[in-house]
């Protein structure tokens, strides 16, 4: 920062501008002096001592000024050596004008301006060289006057020499301080710019959506998470209607707490939060958009261990007495069969199997291990999984599997997602057969969301669908519209999906029921896992492929 500017061979742009102004000033002064000398005005101090020498020196000064002006304006860069030579020649020519005009002329004050500008452009020893050369020139002129028998004034020459050096010191100190201030401002500006870029980079990589609105309701910043959560494939031009309504309420009532909403049928449910851009002013508003599914998943991980222990305890306490009841019921059923009461035997068998399914489902929940993420090729994995289920869960059901070419890799625990998928397919097969056992059909679609780039699996049956009264309760435990079902299938499927940072939603369909699993992108999974100390990702890229 304190490095001498003369370490560089060429003049920087800010000093080059000063040089251009000075060359124009020098041209104007030369023109004025020539006009005054050749006019009829008798000033009685220009060229009075040597009228022949004065116009010659003045002409040289004019040529010198024009040449340097052209150099400064046309080339665009001035070398320091050229600059110092110009000022030395300029001072010498001004000294020639003083010598030809006689002692006591006011032309000597022009040197002060030359020295001041020269020290603003060059610093250190070279700046003092200009002051020393001007002082020597004035002393030499007074000596020549003394030798020629003309009026001379060494005191005036010495005073001017002192002024030259004082001017050089003051100008160099001011220029040094100015450049120091400019350098500090430049460093601060660079630092602020770096901080701004860093802040934008951090905000863009956040999983939380961030949208900044100015006081005219214009969007001045947005990150990719906001675009994804609000269902935009690119930049957000205008806020969704529900978010805009919440923002308007917040602007009217700053303590307003907005509710959750979904920007579209395929987007996640989000929770907006508002904060002023600059507290105490109306400069704008910052909107934070949280994915409620991610927040819920974090809560799920916290209660997963305790819930598993509770379920394991319940199963352990129930299983032993239920085994005893089951044996008694089995003996009773045999006696009923022997007596010809077949109907009561069937009812006992159905209720026993129902209780057994409930115990097994609760046991599955209690035995769920910590999620171990693996990199899975979704297309290959779904094909191999369907092969295992087509002779069991999906027996006697027409299967339509459609895998998009864009099906990508995902990070999941395959065993947990397979359990969720099995529960969904079991439900789909059951309700398809309930409507028409002969034409029962289950359709599985595998692809990705074009907006959020997230992989999806859709499972649709051709059954009766979900009644409107049941829509808000289908994922609740033990809620079922069928007495023979445990009511835990969809609940467990949703739990397993959320344990893998995936989202299970019911999607309205023209025929039957349709469920969609939306997986997090690999980047989202990795960023979430990096926040945890006990995670494991295994790269499983080679899976069974379709034959």
């Amino acid at each position: 920062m304190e490095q001498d500017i003369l370490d560089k061979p060429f003049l920087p742009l800010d000093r080059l501008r000063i040089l251009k102004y000075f060359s124009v000033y020098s041209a104007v002064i030369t023109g004025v002096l020539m006009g005054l000398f050749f006019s009829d005005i008798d000033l009685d101090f220009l060229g009075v001592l040597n009228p022949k020498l004065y116009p010659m020196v003045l002409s040289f000064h004019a040529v010198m000024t024009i040449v340097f002006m052209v150099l400064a304006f046309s080339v665009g860069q001035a070398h320091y050596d050229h600059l110092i030579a110009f000022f030395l020649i300029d001072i010498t020519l001004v000294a020639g004008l003083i010598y030809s005009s006689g002692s006591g002329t006011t032309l000597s004050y022009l040197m002060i301006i030359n020295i001041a500008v020269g020290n603003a452009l060059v610093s250190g020893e070279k700046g003092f060289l200009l002051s020393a050369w001007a002082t020597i020139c004035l002393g030499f002129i007074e000596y020549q006057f003394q030798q020629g028998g003309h009026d001379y004034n060494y005191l005036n020459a010495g005073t001017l020499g002192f002024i030259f050096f004082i001017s050089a010191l003051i100008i160099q100190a001011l220029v040094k301080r100015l450049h120091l201030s400019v350098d500090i401002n430049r460093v601060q500006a660079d630092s602020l710019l770096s901080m701004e870029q860093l802040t934008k980079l951090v905000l863009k990589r956040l999983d939380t959506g961030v949208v900044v609105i100015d006081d005219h309701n214009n969007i001045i910043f947005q990150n990719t998470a906001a675009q994804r959560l609000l269902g935009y494939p690119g930049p957000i031009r205008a806020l969704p209607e529900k978010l805009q309504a919440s923002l308007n309420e917040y602007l009217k009532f700053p303590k307003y707490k907005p509710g959750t909403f979904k920007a579209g049928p395929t987007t996640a449910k989000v929770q907006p939060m508002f904060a002023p851009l600059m507290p105490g002013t109306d400069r704008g508003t910052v909107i934070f958009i949280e994915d409620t599914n991610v927040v819920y998943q974090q809560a799920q991980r916290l209660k997963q261990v305790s819930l598993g222990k509770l379920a394991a305890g319940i199963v352990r306490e129930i299983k032993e007495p239920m085994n005893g009841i089951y044996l008694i019921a089995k003996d009773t059923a045999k006696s009923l069969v022997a007596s010809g009461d077949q109907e009561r035997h069937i009812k006992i068998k159905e209720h026993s199997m129902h209780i057994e399914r409930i115990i097994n489902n609760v046991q599955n929940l209690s035995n769920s291990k910590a999620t171990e993420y693996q990199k899975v090729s979704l297309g290959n994995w779904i094909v191999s999984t369907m092969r295992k289920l087509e002779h069991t869960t999906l027996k006697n059901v027409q299967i339509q599997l459609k895998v998009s070419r864009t099906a990508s890799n995902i990070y999941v625990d395959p065993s947990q997602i397979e359990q969720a998928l099995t529960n969904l397919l079991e439900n789909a097969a059951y309700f398809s057969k309930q409507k028409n056992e002969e034409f029962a059909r289950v359709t599985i679609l595998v692809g990705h969301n074009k907006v959020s780039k997230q992989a999806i699996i859709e499972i649709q049956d051709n059954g009766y669908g979900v009644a409107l009264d049941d829509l808000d309760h289908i994922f609740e435990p033990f809620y079922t519209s069928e007495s023979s079902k445990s009511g835990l299938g969809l609940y467990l499927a949703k739990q397993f999906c959320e344990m893998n940072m995936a989202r299970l939603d019911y999607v309205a369909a023209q025929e039957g029921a349709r469920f969609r699993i939306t997986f997090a992108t690999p980047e989202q999974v990795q960023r979430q896992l990096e926040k945890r100390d006990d995670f494991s990702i295994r790269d499983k890229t080679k899976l069974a492929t379709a034959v």
Side-chain angles (χ1 to χ4, degrees):
M1 193 179 303
E2 297 182 355
Q3 185 181 9
D4 199 313
I5 195 69
L6 289 177
D7 289 346
K8 300 178 181 180
F10 291 99
L11 199 66
L13 292 179
D14 55 346
R15 297 192 179 188
L16 184 60
R17 190 178 300 113
I18 296 174
L19 180 61
K20 290 178 179 179
Y21 292 150
F22 178 73
S23 62
V24 173
Y25 155 80
S26 186
V28 171
I29 291 297
T30 303
V32 170
L33 292 177
M34 292 186 71
L36 291 175
F37 180 77
F38 292 108
S39 66
D40 295 333
I41 302 174
D42 186 10
L43 297 178
D44 197 27
F45 73 90
L46 296 177
V48 295
L49 186 61
N50 194 336
K52 293 182 179 181
L53 179 62
Y54 183 85
M56 292 174 59
V57 175
L58 193 57
S59 298
F60 277 119
H61 190 273
V63 172
M64 175 71 181
T65 301
I66 293 172
V67 170
F68 207 83
M69 181 186 294
V70 172
L71 185 66
F73 278 91
S74 62
V75 177
Q77 281 188 320
H79 199 286
Y80 271 101
D81 293 339
H82 300 162
L83 188 64
I84 294 169
F86 169 77
F87 278 103
L88 290 175
I89 294 173
D90 188 71
I91 291 171
T92 304
L93 292 176
V94 172
L97 296 176
I98 295 172
Y99 176 75
S100 61
S101 299
S103 180
T105 179
T106 55
L107 292 175
S108 55
Y109 294 107
L110 294 176
M111 286 187 174
I112 298 177
I113 298 176
N114 291 0
I115 290 171
V117 175
N119 278 273
L121 298 177
V122 296
S123 58
E125 296 176 353
K126 295 184 179 181
F128 289 121
L129 174 63
L130 301 179
S131 300
W133 180 245
T135 304
I136 291 172
C137 288
L138 288 181
F140 181 75
I141 290 171
E142 296 300 331
Y143 174 75
Q144 290 297 320
F145 287 159
Q146 180 183 8
Q147 294 297 318
H150 305 293
D151 294 336
Y152 61 93
N153 189 343
Y154 284 110
L155 179 61
N156 182 59
T159 303
L160 285 172
F162 178 75
I163 293 174
F164 294 159
F165 280 98
I166 292 297
S167 300
L169 285 170
I170 294 174
I171 294 298
Q172 288 194 28
L174 291 175
V175 169
K176 186 176 181 180
R177 176 164 295 190
L178 177 63
H179 278 275
L180 182 63
S181 176
V182 170
D183 289 339
I184 292 174
N185 290 337
R186 186 181 293 113
V187 170
Q188 291 177 343
D190 291 342
S191 178
L192 289 174
L193 182 61
S194 299
M195 288 298 296
E196 181 184 3
Q197 296 297 329
L198 178 60
T199 302
K200 287 184 177 180
L201 182 63
V202 171
L203 288 176
K204 286 181 178 179
R205 291 182 60 84
L206 282 178
D207 290 328
T208 300
V210 180
V211 180
V212 182
I213 309 293
D214 65 11
D215 52 344
H216 298 296
N217 209 33
N218 298 318
I219 299 175
I220 58 177
F221 177 81
Q222 57 188 278
N223 63 357
T224 53
Q227 297 169 6
R228 173 177 54 81
L229 293 172
L230 296 178
Y232 285 82
I236 303 172
R237 304 299 180 187
L239 295 179
E241 184 178 348
K242 294 179 181 178
L243 183 58
Q244 184 64 58
S246 297
L247 175 62
N248 294 338
E249 288 296 319
Y250 166 77
L251 294 176
K252 293 178 184 177
F253 309 103
K255 293 185 179 180
Y256 167 74
K257 295 183 178 180
T260 59
F261 71 93
K262 292 183 71 173
T266 61
T267 59
K269 182 180 288 187
V270 296
Q271 172 68 60
M273 293 176 287
F274 305 102
L277 180 60
M278 296 181 66
T281 67
D282 297 328
R283 297 287 296 277
T285 306
V286 182
I287 306 174
F288 298 98
I289 305 169
E290 290 282 358
D291 186 347
T292 56
N293 190 49
V294 173
V295 177
Y296 184 73
Q297 288 168 2
Q298 293 172 349
Q300 286 297 103
R301 284 196 295 269
L302 294 176
K303 73 176 186 179
Q304 181 181 346
V305 176
S306 58
L307 184 61
K309 290 180 179 179
L310 176 62
I314 293 173
V315 168
R316 189 167 51 252
E317 293 296 326
I318 291 178
K319 197 167 186 178
E320 186 174 346
M322 285 306 304
N323 283 335
I325 294 173
Y326 183 75
L327 291 174
I328 295 172
K330 190 175 180 181
D331 293 338
T332 305
K334 288 180 180 179
S335 62
L336 289 173
V337 171
S339 63
D341 194 351
Q342 187 73 18
E343 183 178 352
R344 294 179 66 186
H345 164 67
I346 293 173
K347 285 185 177 180
I348 290 175
K349 184 177 181 181
E350 286 179 351
H351 288 304
S352 298
M353 291 179 66
H354 187 190
I355 294 172
E356 185 178 5
R357 280 196 299 271
I358 293 176
I359 292 175
N360 290 336
N361 283 331
V362 174
Q363 196 166 18
N364 285 337
L365 179 63
S366 65
N367 291 337
S368 60
K369 56 183 175 51
T371 305
E372 293 184 0
Y373 290 89
Q374 300 179 27
K375 187 178 181 181
V376 175
S377 175
L378 185 57
N380 295 336
W381 178 81
I382 195 71
V383 170
S384 62
T385 302
M386 295 306 299
R387 283 180 176 173
K388 289 190 291 186
L389 300 177
E390 63 182 348
H391 299 299
T392 54
T393 304
L394 298 175
K395 188 177 182 181
N396 300 325
V397 176
Q398 180 184 353
I399 304 171
Q400 293 183 350
L401 176 60
K402 300 178 182 179
V403 180
S404 170
R405 293 180 180 179
T406 59
S408 56
N409 295 328
I410 56 173
Y411 277 119
V412 292
D413 187 322
S415 62
Q416 293 179 350
I417 293 298
E418 183 177 333
Q419 182 63 53
L421 190 64
T422 301
N423 289 2
L424 292 173
L425 291 172
E426 187 178 272
N427 263 15
Y430 176 83
F431 288 105
S432 293
K433 291 178 181 178
Q434 285 287 97
K435 182 179 180 181
N436 192 327
E437 188 167 358
E438 185 178 353
F439 297 100
R441 184 181 72 250
V442 174
T443 304
I444 301 98
L445 302 176
V446 181
H448 79 287
N449 188 309
K450 293 182 179 179
V451 176
S452 64
K453 310 300 181 185
Q454 294 173 293
I456 60 172
I457 297 177
E458 286 191 355
I459 299 168
Q460 183 173 356
D461 59 54
N462 63 342
Y464 291 107
V466 180
L468 292 176
D469 294 339
D470 296 331
L471 281 178
D472 294 334
H473 308 287
I474 55 176
F475 293 115
E476 293 178 2
F478 302 108
Y479 183 85
T480 178
S481 58
E482 297 287 329
S483 59
S484 61
K485 304 288 286 183
S486 67
L488 286 173
L490 289 179
Y491 170 74
L492 289 174
K494 191 173 182 66
Q495 294 295 312
F496 284 125
C497 286
E498 289 173 348
M499 287 162 62
N500 286 266
M501 300 186 195
R503 189 174 72 247
L504 176 60
D505 298 301
Y506 173 79
V507 182
Q510 293 181 349
E511 181 186 25
R514 179 167 62 177
F515 291 89
R516 175 185 294 152
I517 302 176
T518 304
F519 297 95
T521 64
E523 294 78 11
Q524 291 171 339
V525 174
Q526 288 182 356
R527 283 201 296 270
Q528 287 295 324
L529 293 181
E530 284 170 0
K531 301 175 183 178
R532 296 163 52 187
D533 297 329
D534 55 342
F535 71 90
S536 171
I537 297 182
R538 291 181 293 170
D539 191 357
K540 189 176 182 180
T541 55
K542 295 183 179 179
L543 298 174
T545 56
V547 177

